[in-house]
Amino acid sequence: MVFFMETKIDEKRMEKIRRRCGFGNGIDVSTEGSRGGICLAWKEDVQELDYPWLVGRDFNEIMYSFEKSGGQPREEKRIEAFCEVLEEFHLTDVGYMGIWFTWERGNMTETNIKERLDRGVANEKWMKLFPRGNIHHLTSLLSDHCPLLINTTTGNIFMGIPKFKFEAWWTMEESLEQEVMETWESSTSPIVEKLQMLLISLTRWAKSIKKKRDDLKNKLIKGLGNLMEKEADDDILEKAMDTRI
């Protein structure tokens, strides 16, 4: 059972995606303009809450007053109401790894607000089914919310068979033309073999470029994470903005 929010696509397209992912049952709601869109998908009829299930999302609410820093204090009634809903559905906070706050706004000390609005909650059966399950708060360079990475198994769950694809970003690299010309002119083989050589050459070239980009991106994300864990002041907020840019 999976719930998607802010899909930003219309109902018919979301239905196609849902079915292609193997979820025959579902409720899809279209966007309003360029905003919104939700989808509830499941593979079997869900009649009661006795199934193991987990919800990881932006609840737009906190469970405790210390989950907010800056701005006006959250009303205790709102916090209590949120906790009552979780208790009613027998949901427990799964916990997390990574930075504490998942949402931030304001680039100056007097306007900076941080809250833990995003979290994963699960019932007891899910916790027993996935005892090693965890949620990692990732660092985002673009959004004011942190992405939530939900892991239920150990190891790399994204492994697959690599396929050659010409990426659009390659055309922005100045060295692309030189790589193509040097590879093409380095052999007098038949055109099919030259294309195979070009495929291998571009794959290696792209991997090298991407590694440099990823190394820089990881360095910046790590630096941004360290900044977000510190007490916010004008200097910290300025550095965080420069890092995002």
Side-chain angles (χ1 to χ4, degrees):
M1 180 177 177
V2 184
F3 177 70
F4 301 94
M5 62 182 298
E6 296 290 338
T7 60
K8 300 186 183 298
I9 56 179
D10 60 58
E11 178 182 349
K12 291 184 178 179
R13 186 178 177 192
M14 187 65 238
E15 181 183 1
K16 290 181 179 179
I17 295 174
R18 170 171 57 76
R19 292 184 179 278
R20 194 161 63 240
C21 292
F23 291 91
N25 304 307
I27 301 173
D28 310 294
V29 179
S30 294
T31 59
E32 293 183 2
S34 61
R35 298 180 301 175
I38 60 175
C39 171
L40 178 64
W42 63 92
K43 292 188 177 182
E44 296 180 1
D45 291 333
V46 180
Q47 301 295 338
E48 53 182 306
L49 297 179
D50 195 36
Y51 288 81
W53 64 306
L54 168 123
V55 181
R57 57 167 290 189
D58 165 25
F59 286 97
N60 204 31
E61 192 53 84
I62 59 177
M63 292 181 64
Y64 310 100
S65 57
F66 57 78
E67 292 184 333
K68 179 175 181 177
S69 172
Q72 295 294 326
R74 179 73 94 248
E75 295 181 12
E76 288 295 330
K77 290 183 178 180
R78 291 180 54 180
I79 296 177
E80 291 175 2
F82 178 51
C83 292
E84 287 174 1
V85 170
L86 295 180
E87 184 177 353
E88 180 181 352
F89 286 92
H90 308 289
L91 295 172
T92 305
D93 193 312
V94 176
Y96 69 95
M97 297 185 296
I99 59 178
W100 171 254
F101 299 105
T102 65
W103 176 87
E104 181 179 11
R105 178 175 294 173
N107 297 315
M108 301 180 65
T109 307
E110 57 270 21
T111 60
N112 184 254
I113 303 174
K114 297 179 181 179
E115 299 183 39
R116 189 189 174 203
L117 299 181
D118 311 83
R119 69 178 71 240
V121 295
N123 64 2
E124 185 178 357
K125 288 204 170 186
W126 191 93
M127 302 284 273
K128 290 182 178 179
L129 186 62
F130 303 105
R132 296 184 180 181
N134 62 78
I135 291 181
H136 195 166
H137 293 172
L138 304 180
T139 303
S140 174
L141 298 176
L142 301 177
S143 174
D144 52 2
H145 284 272
C146 291
L148 300 184
L149 175 62
I150 302 173
N151 267 331
T152 58
T153 58
T154 57
N156 186 2
I157 61 175
F158 301 105
M159 294 178 63
I161 301 173
K163 294 182 179 180
F164 178 82
K165 293 188 298 182
F166 188 95
E167 302 285 352
W169 64 266
W170 293 2
T171 60
M172 304 297 292
E173 294 293 328
E174 295 181 359
S175 59
L176 173 62
E177 184 176 353
Q178 181 181 354
E179 184 70 25
V180 173
M181 289 180 63
E182 289 181 355
T183 303
W184 194 261
E185 295 173 357
S186 65
S187 172
T188 57
S189 302
I191 188 170
V192 175
E193 293 183 14
K194 294 180 72 170
L195 287 172
Q196 288 289 342
M197 292 176 60
L198 183 60
L199 182 151
I200 296 172
S201 175
L202 286 178
T203 301
R204 290 175 178 172
W205 168 84
K207 187 176 181 179
S208 175
I209 298 292
K210 191 174 186 299
K211 186 179 184 304
K212 294 178 182 178
R213 286 187 170 192
D214 289 345
D215 289 345
L216 177 59
K217 181 179 178 181
N218 291 335
K219 181 180 178 181
L220 291 172
I221 289 176
K222 183 178 180 180
L224 183 60
N226 292 334
L227 290 171
M228 292 177 68
E229 290 178 351
K230 297 180 179 179
E231 188 70 26
D233 56 31
D234 290 339
D235 183 53
I236 294 294
L237 294 173
E238 182 180 356
K239 289 180 179 179
M241 185 186 300
D242 289 341
T243 303
R244 286 192 172 97
I245 294 174

